[in-house]
Amino acid sequence: MGSHPKGDAQIKDNRIAQTSLGQWIAHYPACLGSKVKDAFQGQLPFLFKVLSVNTALSIQAHPNKELAASLHAQFPEHYPDNNHKPEMAIALTCFQGLCGFRPVEEILAFLQCAAGKDTSRSAGELLLRLHSQYPGDVGCFSIYFLNYVVLKPGQAMFLGANEPHAYIYGDCIECMACSDNTVRAGLTPKYIDVNTLCEMLNYKPAPVSSKIFPCVQDPSDPCVTLYNPPVPDFTVLKIQVPASMNTYTVASVDSASILLVVEGDATATSAAAFSDLTMRRGTVLFVSANESLSLHITSPSGMTLFRACCLL
């Protein structure tokens, strides 16, 4: 969900001719919000995804802006744009991933077979699972030197520039800067750029606990949890409306938003919409800057939504 040239979202609205989100934004750049429009040259600065990971996704890292520009200039067939790609994964289910280098003592313990019995068995099971998915891929052994992170629903990982990571299993909401630049290391049949990877990686070891990104309650709205990473490109809001509330207002912000319904049903009204909108699990709305949305919730269990935006 976004306007990257390799995956420009299509707008489904019978009031307008078939068009993409990128084309819409180009025609109506004010929809981004004045700060976002100026800061990101009239482009929507983020991509919003839902990932359902059954087979492990590649071990990878993403370049910073300077390296991204250099790689794009030299190897545009592998690095299709000049932007960085910090990203965040927010677990919808129990979610397994690899993130950052383990503390050195943990790596040594694995190598010396000195880890506890349960840890050894679980690591061995994970190694065999990855090997069954990617036979002969040396990336399977990354579990012994990268942190194995298990997120509970609602917990998040933030992956900044040069951070080695992989998604192993589970469902997540993912948001990232608007880029497709990936330097791969293993667990993939795709192009692997060993030299670039070795030069760029952040090798600083850190415990697994440091890889869980803290979220905060929005002080102005008890229904909203903020995931606000240390980059300007995006912020994610989880909106959880309890069963006791029949109506809820999605507040306006000075940024274009993409809104995704994860659970629940509602009828939505907006000053920008000519008619009511029916919202259910899987509904995706693009909301222009400084527009609010009124929800009349029809499901008895409340509603859960995620919202990606850019809070400069």
Side-chain angles (χ1 to χ4, degrees), residues 77-135:
E77 69 276 20
H78 298 305
Y79 304 102
D81 57 72
N82 63 1
N83 199 13
H84 67 165
K85 194 187 176 187
E87 59 190 25
M88 175 176 284
I90 304 169
L92 291 172
T93 63
C94 180
F95 190 79
Q96 305 167 26
L98 303 174
C99 181
F101 285 95
R102 293 177 182 269
V104 175
E105 58 273 16
E106 283 189 26
I107 299 173
L108 288 173
F110 275 123
L111 294 176
Q112 296 168 353
C113 298
K117 182 179 177 182
D118 291 341
T119 304
S120 296
R121 186 172 67 243
S122 61
E125 290 170 353
L126 180 56
L127 178 66
L128 291 174
R129 185 181 0 144
L130 294 178
H131 174 67
S132 70
Q133 296 173 5
Y134 298 97

Side-chain angles (χ1 to χ4, degrees), residues 143-197:
I143 61 168
Y144 292 105
F145 51 87
L146 296 182
N147 282 303
Y148 177 54
V149 183
V150 179
L151 300 178
K152 299 175 183 177
Q155 289 185 320
M157 286 192 295
F158 173 70
L159 307 158
N162 309 323
E163 186 84 55
H165 64 276
Y167 297 154
I168 302 299
Y169 187 82
D171 300 340
C172 75
I173 295 287
E174 190 183 38
C175 196
M176 65 197 70
C178 187
S179 172
D180 193 33
N181 284 324
T182 300
V183 184
R184 294 179 179 86
L187 301 183
T188 180
K190 297 180 180 179
Y191 176 71
I192 294 175
D193 188 344
V194 174
N195 291 337
T196 299
L197 186 83

Side-chain angles (χ1 to χ4, degrees), residues 42-56:
Q43 304 294 317
L44 187 69
F46 56 83
L47 295 171
F48 201 30
K49 298 181 180 182
V50 180
L51 296 182
S52 188
V53 181
N54 191 41
T55 300

Side-chain angles (χ1 to χ4, degrees), residues 279-300:
M279 299 178 68
R280 59 176 65 90
R281 178 180 170 88
T283 297
V284 180
L285 293 181
F286 178 80
V287 182
S288 293
N290 304 305
E291 288 184 4
S292 61
L293 199 65
S294 297
L295 304 183
H296 174 66
I297 297 164
T298 54
S299 49

